[in-house]
Amino acid sequence: MLAAAPAANAVVPDSQFDVYYGETYTWGDIKWYNRSVVVEGTHKSVSPTSCRGTTVYTLDSQGRQLSVSWSMYAVCGDSARFTMTVPADVPGGAAFVRVCLDNGRTDPPITALACKRYGRP
């Protein structure tokens, strides 16, 4: 008897995200994988005294948080690209991703200014 070949990763289309708070924003793409998501984008701050960053949560199909990651570099009166891999260590990976524009802190407590939730396509 021959052993069955392992299942290939299903191709899941990328999702786009955009979260705005006043004139500041975070936007980009979510790449869905079986045990993680990769979030790539740009965040922007218009004031040198009001910094911005991005926080990403992976959620299961019931909306329970699996993991969280935040951008390591805040922007203050500027914009910057970021890439982060956020674990979703459950079969099939994250069902949802919550993306937040935050106050730009690089350590907790991070304050979310605006958030949106995106479902796996």
Side-chain angles (χ1 to χ4, degrees):
M1 176 182 264
L2 294 175
N9 285 342
V11 176
V12 178
D14 294 352
S15 300
Q16 294 182 331
F17 69 91
D18 60 346
V19 180
Y20 288 85
Y21 183 78
E23 295 178 359
T24 62
Y25 62 78
T26 182
W27 58 264
D29 295 307
I30 303 166
K31 297 176 188 281
W32 303 86
Y33 296 100
N34 283 337
R35 297 284 178 166
S36 65
V37 296
V38 174
V39 179
E40 300 175 320
T42 301
H43 43 223
K44 180 178 180 174
S45 161
V46 293
S47 168
T49 59
S50 292
C51 300
R52 297 292 181 259
T54 302
T55 303
V56 178
Y57 302 84
T58 51
L59 309 170
D60 68 12
S61 60
Q62 303 300 311
R64 292 181 295 246
Q65 182 178 318
L66 299 170
S67 190
V68 62
S69 186
W70 53 90
S71 52
M72 297 308 294
Y73 302 102
V75 293
C76 306
D78 201 359
S79 64
R81 301 260 323 136
F82 65 88
T83 300
M84 63 181 96
T85 300
V86 188
D89 199 16
V90 295
F96 301 98
V97 169
R98 184 173 170 233
V99 180
C100 299
L101 181 65
D102 64 49
N103 63 341
R105 291 195 52 144
T106 55
D107 57 344
I110 297 169
T111 301
L113 304 172
C115 300
K116 285 187 184 177
R117 191 168 98 161
Y118 298 88
R120 187 181 191 103

